[in-house]
């Protein structure tokens, strides 16, 4: 079966069969690929207008987001475009990603460490390469995979926690603060800002 026109690239940079793209976009606002845009704007290599020109899906997913194996939908709506739906009364099998606890180290260190210790104690969630990708906390089923994305977030969070924000400092001052922060301040989010740590 051939992919739709425009979705294939003849050849392969490393040899082998043709490469096929899925025609999907990884455009969720504030995902890790956006750092390339931030760096380009900060370096003056990309115009500031680029910040608002990228494909965004933040808050616009028509089905809301799903939070469990049964795909229980949560949809807070989107301004005048789509009204909010009632929050579900109950959820099904919840899935936990251990890397999320590492990301919480900066904000709730004790709780994050306790959560990691509980995941390791209560589930077969820790292997020779560290924590696995995810755990269904109701059934106990573990996704015994190591994802580079997860491991990168774990290492970054540990680096920041152990070396006093060593990875945050380069991205919170200088050209980032002068050129990118003003663009970020123009954003309007519907979730109220919480207290800073």
């Amino acid at each position: 079966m051939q992919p739709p026109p425009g979705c294939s690239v003849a050849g392969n940079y490393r040899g082998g069969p043709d490469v096929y793209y899925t025609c999907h976009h990884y455009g969720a606002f504030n995902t890790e690929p956006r750092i390339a845009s931030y760096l380009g704007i900060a370096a003056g290599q990309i115009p500031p207008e680029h910040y608002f020109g990228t494909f965004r899906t933040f808050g616009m997913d028509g089905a809301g987001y799903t939070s469990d194996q049964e795909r229980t939908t949560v949809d807070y709506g989107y301004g005048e475009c789509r009204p909010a739906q009632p929050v579900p009364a109950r959820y099904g099998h919840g899935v936990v990603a251990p890397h999320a606890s590492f990301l919480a180290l900066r904000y709730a260190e004790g709780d994050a460490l306790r959560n990691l210790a509980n995941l390791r104690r209560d589930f077969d969630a820790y292997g020779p390469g560290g924590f696995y990708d995810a755990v269904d906390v109701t059934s106990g089923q573990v996704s015994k995979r190591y994802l580079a994305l997860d491991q990168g977030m774990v290492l970054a969070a540990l680096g920041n926690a152990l070396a006093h924000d060593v990875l945050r400092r380069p991205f919170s001052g200088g050209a980032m603060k002068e050129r990118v922060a003003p663009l970020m301040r123009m954003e309007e989010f519907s979730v109220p800002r919480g207290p800073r740590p």
Side-chain angles (χ1 to χ4, degrees):
M1 182 160 125
Q2 289 295 316
C7 290
S8 65
V9 173
N12 188 315
Y13 293 114
R14 308 184 91 189
D18 288 351
V19 175
Y20 295 98
Y21 292 102
T22 64
C23 298
H24 291 89
H25 297 273
Y26 193 13
F29 182 62
N30 278 344
T31 57
E32 61 281 354
R34 268 187 87 72
I35 193 65
S37 294
Y38 299 157
L39 292 170
I41 293 168
Q45 297 170 335
I46 298 174
E49 296 79 24
H50 173 75
Y51 181 88
F52 297 101
T54 57
F55 179 72
R56 295 173 179 219
T57 59
F58 188 74
M60 291 296 287
D61 179 2
Y65 67 88
T66 54
S67 59
D68 56 22
Q69 189 172 355
E70 290 78 11
R71 301 190 64 76
T72 307
T73 299
V74 177
D75 187 352
Y76 293 113
Y78 190 76
E80 302 288 322
C81 299
R82 187 181 72 242
Q85 302 300 311
V87 176
R90 59 184 294 278
Y91 295 89
H93 293 277
V95 177
V96 173
H99 74 267
S101 288
F102 284 94
L103 294 175
L105 279 172
R106 187 171 190 272
Y107 306 97
E109 182 180 335
D111 291 334
L113 292 174
R114 268 189 299 282
N115 193 48
L116 290 166
N118 291 343
L119 285 171
R120 187 171 182 181
R121 181 194 67 216
D122 298 340
F123 305 97
D124 187 18
Y126 193 86
F131 281 98
Y132 293 118
D133 175 50
V135 179
D136 180 325
V137 295
T138 304
S139 70
Q141 183 177 355
V142 176
S143 171
K144 292 193 173 183
R145 302 280 189 270
Y146 297 111
L147 275 63
L149 176 66
D150 297 352
Q151 299 304 315
M153 287 188 273
V154 167
L155 291 174
L158 286 173
N160 279 328
L162 298 173
H164 311 290
D165 285 338
V166 68
L167 294 176
R168 286 177 56 95
R169 283 194 306 268
F171 299 102
S172 59
M176 281 288 192
K177 186 174 184 179
E178 294 167 14
R179 295 182 178 162
V180 180
L183 300 171
M184 291 179 168
R185 282 194 288 274
M186 292 181 195
E187 296 286 354
E188 293 182 16
F189 297 100
S190 60
V191 178
R193 185 178 190 174
R196 297 183 78 163

